[in-house]
Amino acid sequence: MGKFQVLDHPLIQHKLSIIRDKNCGTREFRQCVNEIAELMVYEVSRDMPLEDVEVETPITKATTKRLAGKKVVVVPILRAGIGMVDGILELIPAAKVGHIGMYRDEETLQPHEYFVKMPDDLENREMIIVDPMLATGGSAIMAVDALKKRGAKSIKFVCLVAAPEGVKAFHEAHPDVDIYSASLDEYLNEDGYIVPGLGDAGDRLFGTK
Ligand code: PRP
Ligand code: URA
């Protein structure tokens, strides 16, 4: 079974409180989402493989470590996942970025895929899917399906707020994929929104509605 880990660093929890407040405006919301993503990726990347490399320091030759293998791919689920990308690239600036466009039907809550653009050779890359919200889990499950269909073998899912219903559905669908979240919230309401949550993440990031 995949792991579900809440990253409860005080700075993450502090910034999450700021964006939960309905009076937090677009500019501050956007900034905090990126900052939380940046703080989270430090922990998410903890098990990345390393390899030895020879360098010449100003003093002597030395054997040191660098990240092994092909470049990591950050995959935002559009739209709201876009809000986390810059924060992650602050710490992994060489990462590639693949995009998955998906929207949730407001009536049925079913996800619909409308766009996928990935780098090559997903088989040999670490994939980090980002989306602030894991609600029913439908979008995240479909995003992982889309990556696996294209050959991805090593995938992590990173969100800010997760509902227990979404975590359960995701683990059942993809037991090989770990989830990292800044919070495990209480439940989904009848409209499919996470409670207490933070509302519609896409609208709050982009100032729509
Ligand atoms: C939101 C959110 C997730 C999805 C989560 O996107 O960003 O992608 O809902 O819900 P689920 O777990 O029930 O699938 P939305 O469909 O509102 O699209 P948007 O980001 O374009 O606003
Ligand atoms: N999508 C959001 O943006 N917010 C929720 O609470 C649930 C799905």
Side-chain angles (χ1 to χ4, degrees), residues 18-32:
I18 293 173
I19 61 172
R20 282 192 195 273
D21 186 335
K22 66 178 184 185
N23 295 315
C24 172
T26 301
R27 179 176 162 173
E28 192 176 21
F29 191 92
R30 215 177 260 159
Q31 183 177 341
C32 285

Side-chain angles (χ1 to χ4, degrees), residues 104 133 135 192-194 199-202:
R104 201 171 71 141
M133 312 306 282
Y193 278 85
I194 300 173
D200 187 308

Side-chain angles (χ1 to χ4, degrees), residues 34-35 37-38 74 81-92:
N34 266 316
E35 288 172 354
E38 184 175 351
V74 182
I82 291 279
M84 299 170 69
V85 172
D86 286 348
I88 293 188
L89 293 180
E90 283 288 326
L91 284 199
I92 316 180

Side-chain angles (χ1 to χ4, degrees), residues 77-81 102-104 109 111 114 131-140 192 200-203:
I77 302 178
L78 310 183
R79 293 175 301 163
M102 223 166 250
Y103 72 90
R104 201 171 71 141
L109 303 183
Y114 59 85
D131 188 327
M133 312 306 282
L134 181 67
T136 65
S139 304
D200 187 308
D203 284 344

Side-chain angles (χ1 to χ4, degrees), residues 69-205:
K70 294 216 153 206
K71 293 195 170 62
V72 170
V73 187
V74 182
V75 181
I77 302 178
L78 310 183
R79 293 175 301 163
I82 291 279
M84 299 170 69
V85 172
D86 286 348
I88 293 188
L89 293 180
E90 283 288 326
L91 284 199
I92 316 180
K96 292 179 179 279
V97 180
H99 294 84
I100 297 188
M102 223 166 250
Y103 72 90
R104 201 171 71 141
D105 183 298
E106 284 180 11
E107 298 293 316
T108 66
L109 303 183
Q110 291 305 305
H112 295 271
E113 183 184 297
Y114 59 85
F115 182 75
V116 180
K117 183 77 178 171
M118 290 296 141
D120 63 6
D121 205 7
L122 299 193
E123 292 86 338
N124 298 308
R125 298 182 189 278
E126 305 265 337
M127 316 289 298
I128 304 176
I129 305 177
V130 295
D131 188 327
M133 312 306 282
L134 181 67
T136 65
S139 304
I141 290 168
M142 196 181 255
V144 175
D145 287 338
L147 296 192
K148 286 185 175 173
K149 198 168 86 183
R150 289 165 177 79
K153 301 265 185 295
S154 176
I155 306 173
K156 294 182 163 104
F157 181 78
V158 182
C159 59
L160 304 191
V161 179
E165 295 89 334
V167 174
K168 181 167 181 289
F170 187 94
H171 277 332
E172 281 169 9
H174 294 296
D176 54 326
V177 179
D178 292 341
I179 305 172
Y180 299 82
S181 183
S183 172
L184 179 62
D185 274 17
E186 290 169 22
Y187 62 94
L188 283 181
N189 71 15
E190 58 281 5
D191 298 320
Y193 278 85
I194 300 173
V195 181
L198 45 76
D200 187 308
D203 284 344
R204 296 198 64 196
L205 270 167

